[in-house]
Amino acid sequence: MTDVKNTSTLASSWLQIQSILNSVNHIFIFLVAAFFFVLAKKFDFQDTAMHMFMTGIGFHVLMAQALMSHYKVNPITRWISHKNKSRYHGLMQLAGGSMVLLGSLGKFTSKEVHFETWHGIFGVAAAFGCAASVVGGLANFFQPKFVLKKLPPSELKFRHNLFGLLTFTLGMTAIYLGYYSKFFTRYVDNQFIPAMMLTTVLVYFLTIIGPVTALLTKLKYRRQKQQQK
């Protein structure tokens, strides 16, 4: 009886900690969004500034919100139904993915040389992953019959969860590496850049708590289904 009570107390405490961490994460996300906006506005949302703003808001803000949409301690979505959480997730993913793809396309069409830096390489991978995640998200939401013939709903959700996390990891890595770029080191106070790096790292890890927990649950269910075959 005591063990059950202790377990319940620990679970409740961990839930409270997650709630606090998620609130802190939203503050960090807001601060980063404000910084990206102010910096891009300084250059009239032109060229690299526009690229930074579009991809930064796309991943650091909107895709992060998409990943946290089903997180039970998320103050933005915790009070709405599961169906509306899915709609919110889809809306954030579509908006964030569109911003990332448009921001990346603007950079690709410029005359600058690409793929010569780790930032560029991860950025390209993140852009392709983002496009694939949007398509996968649409398939997961609408679940057309021709897709369900090949993949059951549980497997579809598992793959969407997994590839969404991988894409977010690529995107946030590209943003982190972007702080070493000529644009940031030239126009942002070099003493402030480490603070931005730390904020990006914290947002990444605080954002994936819910999705990773969900992924592990789906993985456990997936293994159980495979063992029953």
Side-chain angles (χ1 to χ4, degrees), residues 67-102:
L67 283 172
M68 293 187 292
S69 59
H70 287 282
Y71 194 19
K72 58 185 176 182
V73 299
N74 183 5
I76 297 177
T77 58
R78 64 186 299 180
W79 306 112
I80 62 179
S81 66
H82 179 80
K83 188 173 183 178
N84 284 331
K85 286 178 182 178
S86 296
R87 289 172 176 170
Y88 177 84
H89 169 81
L91 181 62
M92 291 296 102
Q93 185 180 40
L94 185 60
S98 297
M99 287 190 73
V100 169
L101 293 173
L102 288 172

Side-chain angles (χ1 to χ4, degrees), residues 121-134:
I121 293 170
F122 273 90
V124 170
F128 279 105
C130 198
S133 291
V134 169

Side-chain angles (χ1 to χ4, degrees), residues 5-80:
K5 186 177 180 180
N6 289 337
T7 301
S8 179
T9 301
L10 286 173
S12 178
S13 297
W14 172 231
L15 197 63
Q16 291 177 353
I17 292 172
Q18 287 183 75
S19 182
I20 294 171
L21 291 176
N22 191 255
S23 296
V24 170
N25 191 28
H26 277 91
I27 293 172
F28 285 152
I29 289 173
F30 172 78
L31 292 174
V32 169
F35 174 78
F36 284 162
F37 176 82
V38 171
L39 183 60
K41 190 175 184 297
K42 180 180 178 181
F43 296 94
D44 297 321
F45 296 94
Q46 297 295 319
D47 303 324
T48 301
M50 187 61 172
H51 166 73
M52 177 273 301
F53 176 75
M54 295 287 282
T55 55
I57 296 297
F59 268 118
H60 222 300
V61 181
L62 298 176
M63 295 296 277
Q65 290 297 332
L67 283 172
M68 293 187 292
S69 59
H70 287 282
Y71 194 19
K72 58 185 176 182
V73 299
N74 183 5
I76 297 177
T77 58
R78 64 186 299 180
W79 306 112
I80 62 179

Side-chain angles (χ1 to χ4, degrees), residues 155-195:
E155 182 66 17
L156 198 60
K157 291 179 181 179
F158 172 79
R159 295 191 181 192
H160 179 59
N161 195 163
L162 176 61
F163 288 114
L165 277 168
L166 290 175
T167 299
F168 186 66
T169 299
L170 290 171
M172 294 297 275
T173 301
I175 290 173
Y176 182 89
L177 293 171
Y179 296 132
Y180 290 101
S181 67
K182 292 180 180 179
F183 177 80
F184 261 89
T185 54
R186 182 181 299 173
Y187 298 114
V188 178
D189 187 341
N190 288 351
Q191 294 183 341
F192 183 69
I193 290 177

